[in-house]
């Protein structure tokens, strides 16, 4: 390819301009599209019940009669109302203000059912909370204050009596960086506004990628280095580190980076032992640790970000918030059924990390359990228990395993990093002492379940090594969106001295 026609164009300026445009687009999408809480409703059906061949009712061929409790329902109609969490954030119970509700002017509710919910457990929870019989002969349906995760949806199927038409809503939804809301979405015709917007953005991003490709041919990124690096340690940030690795290797094709998460303390121990035996091999290791390494004078480390942890509860428990006192009662065996905490009549099944190498287990013990140790193991697979056990508890090796078990097992509870926890549809992120886990709540000191993530190497890595280049990339602005998706807050985004 002949690029001589570019003349004296400064390629660094081109790169900076494209990066600025990409950052602006990403920020706008994150702030105004993704980082808001949005409950959308759509009236899919609103029609009278009755089949007539013409408007002249004296010539009826078919007349459908609706009865309720033995009485004929006058002027019956049916409404199918769909609600979606269409925003980019989970909706927490406290986000629903002034009783989000739907009214049916000049009509009364005869029957009510929750249907077609995703996930199914959300529909079951709603059906229990609503108690349909309480709404008979009323004209307003109040949505219970529950957690509705991103992508969740459900429908209300109602039989009504009366001559009125239409559905109205009241109350509002708060939350997200640009607030939240309850919006009416009419039946779509043709491409939606969101589809068109994302189509236009996709074209813009494709154009930027083409431009970046041309520039890359001329001038590779400055922070590329070749060689091998193995990232060990914390499993809480394993998925985030995989995403960072993929982003780095996409530009720096001579970099061979592998992830082998084995727990914070185990990673630190492996780094120390390798350094004592072979400093060269140790120079190709980076150990991620939830918190600082203890008694490791030969290790060099720096804070990278704050990991926001969360208590994860299976939706079947029907519990959205816990106090630290209640959590200590659960993990000490004093409380063994969710019914004792206002939830369903289900045994509490604790899913924990194998200790003592797990950093997240240590953080949970220190920040939530006030230093108390967790109970012993009563189950090897988290489902079948020792018949003589008075509580239900199992241990697993990684954060991903823990969250998978909590997601699959009725009545399960566990803990993990916030970003990963929110990816599971059957998990409710529980508030602690009324505070929902969030970066802002960490910064103002109201949320305590967090820890500073450190990156450790064996002594200071050489400046021209892949180890040093990858750590530099981990601190760069390009990685901030990746960290945010994983529930990590870069130390540079927090008040001075926050990360130590």
């Amino acid at each position: 390819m002949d690029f001589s026609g570019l003349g004296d164009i400064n390629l660094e300026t081109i790169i900076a301009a494209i990066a600025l445009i990409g950052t602006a687009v990403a920020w706008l999408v994150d702030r105004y599209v993704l980082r808001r809480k949005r409950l959308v409703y759509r009236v899919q059906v609103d029609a009278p019940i009755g089949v007539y061949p013409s408007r002249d009712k004296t010539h009826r061929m078919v007349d459908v009669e609706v009865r309720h409790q033995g009485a004929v329902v006058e002027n019956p109609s049916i409404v199918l109302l769909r609600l979606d969490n269409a925003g980019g954030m989970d909706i927490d119970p406290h986000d629903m203000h002034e009783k989000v509700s739907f009214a049916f002017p000049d009509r009364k509710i005869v029957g009510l059912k929750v249907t077609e919910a995703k996930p199914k457990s959300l529909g079951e929870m709603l059906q229990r909370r609503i108690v349909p019989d309480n709404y008979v002969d009323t004209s307003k349906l109040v949505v219970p204050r529950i957690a509705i995760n991103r992508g969740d949806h459900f429908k209300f199927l109602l039989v009504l009596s009366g001559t009125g038409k239409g559905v109205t809503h009241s109350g509002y939804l708060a939350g997200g960086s640009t607030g939240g809301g309850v919006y009416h979405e009419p039946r779509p015709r043709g491409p939606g506004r969101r589809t068109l917007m994302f189509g236009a953005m996709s074209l813009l991003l494709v154009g930027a990628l083409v431009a970046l490709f041309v520039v890359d041919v001329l001038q590779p990124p400055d922070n590329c280095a070749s060689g091998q690096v193995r990232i060990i340690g914390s499993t809480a940030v394993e998925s985030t580190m995989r995403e960072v690795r993929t982003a780095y290797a996409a530009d720096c094709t001579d970099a061979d980076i592998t992830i082998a998460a084995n727990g914070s303390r185990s990673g630190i121990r492996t780094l120390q032992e390798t350094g004592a035996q072979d400093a060269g091999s140790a120079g190709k290791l980076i150990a991620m640790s939830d918190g600082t390494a203890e008694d490791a004078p030969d290790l060099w480390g720096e804070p990278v970000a704050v990991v926001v942890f969360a208590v994860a509860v299976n939706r079947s428990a029907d519990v959205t918030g816990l106090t630290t006192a209640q959590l200590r009662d659960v993990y000490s065996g004093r409380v063994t059924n969710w019914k004792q905490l206002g939830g369903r009549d289900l045994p509490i099944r604790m899913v924990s990390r194998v200790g003592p190498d797990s950093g997240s287990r240590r953080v949970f013990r220190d920040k939530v359990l006030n230093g108390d140790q967790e109970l012993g193991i009563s189950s090897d697979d988290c489902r079948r228990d020792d018949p003589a056990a008075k509580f239900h508890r199992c241990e697993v090796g990684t954060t991903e395993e823990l969250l998978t078990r909590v997601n699959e097992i009725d009545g399960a509870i566990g803990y993990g990093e916030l970003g990963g926890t929110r990816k599971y549809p059957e998990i409710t992120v529980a508030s602690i002492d009324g505070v929902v886990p969030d970066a802002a709540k960490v910064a103002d000191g109201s949320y305590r379940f967090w820890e500073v993530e450190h990156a450790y190497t064996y002594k200071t890595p050489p400046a021209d090594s892949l180890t040093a280049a990858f750590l530099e990339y981990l601190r760069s602005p390009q990685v901030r969106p990746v960290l945010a998706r994983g529930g990590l807050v870069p130390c540079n985004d927090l008040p001075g001295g926050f990360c130590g």
Side-chain angles (χ1 to χ4, degrees):
M1 298 177 68
D2 182 10
F3 296 98
S4 59
L6 293 177
D8 296 328
I9 294 177
N10 187 325
L11 295 178
E12 291 184 358
T13 302
I14 296 175
I15 294 173
I18 294 175
L20 180 62
I21 293 171
T23 301
V25 171
W27 182 83
L28 288 170
V29 172
D30 181 72
R31 180 170 179 82
Y32 292 104
V33 178
L34 300 179
R35 302 296 293 174
R36 61 177 174 177
K37 300 193 177 186
R38 192 169 187 263
L39 188 63
V40 169
Y41 75 93
R42 184 187 307 160
V43 182
Q44 294 186 315
V45 176
D46 187 355
I49 301 175
V51 182
Y52 310 112
S54 69
R55 294 185 178 180
D56 185 359
K57 296 185 179 182
T58 62
H59 294 90
R60 295 176 181 174
M61 292 179 61
V62 180
D63 185 0
V64 178
E65 184 178 80
V66 177
R67 289 179 173 269
H68 176 65
Q69 296 181 346
V72 175
V73 177
E74 297 294 333
N75 301 305
S77 59
I78 187 169
V79 168
L80 185 62
L81 184 65
R82 172 171 173 146
L83 281 79
D84 292 78
N85 180 348
M89 301 180 70
D90 295 341
I91 295 172
D92 300 306
H94 71 278
D95 295 325
M96 295 186 178
H97 290 256
E98 294 185 359
K99 295 184 178 180
V100 173
S101 61
F102 298 90
F104 313 94
D106 298 321
R107 289 189 286 182
K108 300 288 187 180
I109 297 173
V110 174
L112 165 64
K113 184 177 181 180
V114 180
T115 182
E116 296 183 42
K118 176 192 174 185
K120 183 179 178 181
S121 58
L122 175 61
E124 294 171 347
M125 181 191 301
L126 275 166
Q127 192 74 20
R128 290 193 302 271
R129 289 283 189 90
I130 284 177
V131 188
D133 289 347
N134 292 344
Y135 286 93
V136 173
D137 292 332
T138 68
S139 60
K140 181 182 289 187
L141 169 61
V142 179
V143 181
R145 290 180 175 174
I146 59 170
I148 308 174
N149 292 343
R150 289 175 291 180
D152 286 0
H153 65 255
F154 53 90
K155 297 181 182 181
F156 291 119
L157 178 62
L158 302 103
V159 176
L160 305 168
S161 67
T163 58
K165 291 184 179 180
V167 179
T168 63
H169 88 270
S170 61
Y172 67 96
L173 195 69
S177 61
T178 58
V182 181
Y183 301 91
H184 174 246
E185 183 176 275
R187 185 180 297 275
R189 294 182 179 179
R193 181 172 55 185
R194 182 179 300 176
T195 301
L196 294 173
M197 179 182 67
F198 276 98
M201 287 176 54
S202 297
L203 290 175
L204 175 63
L205 291 175
V206 168
L209 287 173
V210 171
L212 282 171
F213 172 75
V214 172
V215 173
D216 283 347
V217 171
L218 298 173
Q219 182 175 324
D222 292 334
N223 64 343
C224 277
S226 60
Q228 294 181 329
V229 162
R230 187 158 62 103
I231 301 172
I232 58 178
S234 172
T235 67
V237 297
E238 180 180 3
S239 61
T240 300
M241 295 308 297
R242 289 188 185 279
E243 191 172 349
V244 174
R245 181 271 310 272
T246 300
Y248 183 87
D251 286 330
C252 306
T253 55
D254 290 332
D256 181 6
I257 305 170
T258 57
I259 311 291
N262 55 350
S264 293
R265 291 191 177 183
S266 180
I268 294 297
R269 188 166 56 249
T270 299
L271 183 59
Q272 286 179 296
E273 293 172 353
T274 304
Q277 298 173 5
D278 185 349
S281 297
K284 299 177 182 179
L285 293 176
I286 298 175
M288 305 302 297
S289 174
D290 305 336
T292 57
E294 300 174 358
D295 301 323
D298 292 328
L299 301 190
W300 176 85
E302 61 176 314
V304 175
V306 163
V307 184
V308 183
F309 289 98
V311 170
V313 178
N314 186 279
R315 282 182 179 274
S316 61
D318 205 359
V319 168
T320 59
L322 295 162
T323 66
T324 49
Q326 288 173 331
L327 284 165
R328 291 166 191 167
D329 285 342
V330 168
Y331 281 85
S332 66
R334 290 189 290 270
V335 171
T336 59
N337 193 295
W338 288 110
K339 187 176 181 180
Q340 296 171 265
L341 301 175
R344 291 182 62 196
D345 186 7
L346 275 176
I348 297 175
R349 296 187 175 276
M350 295 170 276
V351 186
S352 301
R353 287 289 310 283
V354 175
D357 289 337
S358 167
S360 55
R361 174 171 171 162
R362 177 187 57 79
V363 177
F364 183 69
R365 180 195 66 202
D366 294 345
K367 299 288 184 73
V368 179
L369 300 185
N370 198 30
D372 293 341
Q373 295 291 342
E374 296 184 44
L375 295 166
I377 299 173
S378 67
S379 173
D380 292 329
D381 63 1
C382 303
R383 295 180 184 273
R384 295 185 297 271
D385 299 281
D386 179 348
K390 296 181 180 179
F391 54 85
H392 307 279
R393 184 178 174 276
C394 67
E395 293 183 355
V396 295
T398 68
T399 298
E400 184 177 358
E401 287 181 82
L402 184 152
L403 295 175
T404 298
R405 300 289 177 87
V406 174
N407 185 67
E408 295 174 347
I409 299 173
D410 286 354
I413 183 174
Y415 44 82
E417 49 87 20
L418 177 61
T421 303
R422 283 180 164 162
K423 296 176 183 177
Y424 292 83
E426 297 295 333
I427 285 180
T428 295
V429 175
S431 63
I432 302 178
D433 293 327
V435 182
V436 176
D438 181 79
K441 300 300 182 183
V442 170
D444 67 20
S446 58
Y447 188 76
R448 297 182 54 213
F449 191 17
W450 57 270
E451 185 54 277
V452 178
E453 189 71 21
H454 289 73
Y456 282 94
T457 59
Y458 186 73
K459 299 185 177 179
T460 305
D464 60 349
S465 66
L466 175 58
T467 302
F470 186 80
L471 288 173
E472 180 185 350
Y473 182 68
L474 194 58
R475 295 189 295 268
S476 69
Q478 298 99 299
V479 176
R480 289 185 180 181
V482 180
L483 298 179
R485 282 195 295 273
L488 282 74
V489 187
C491 288
N492 291 336
D493 293 349
L494 291 165
F498 197 93
C499 291

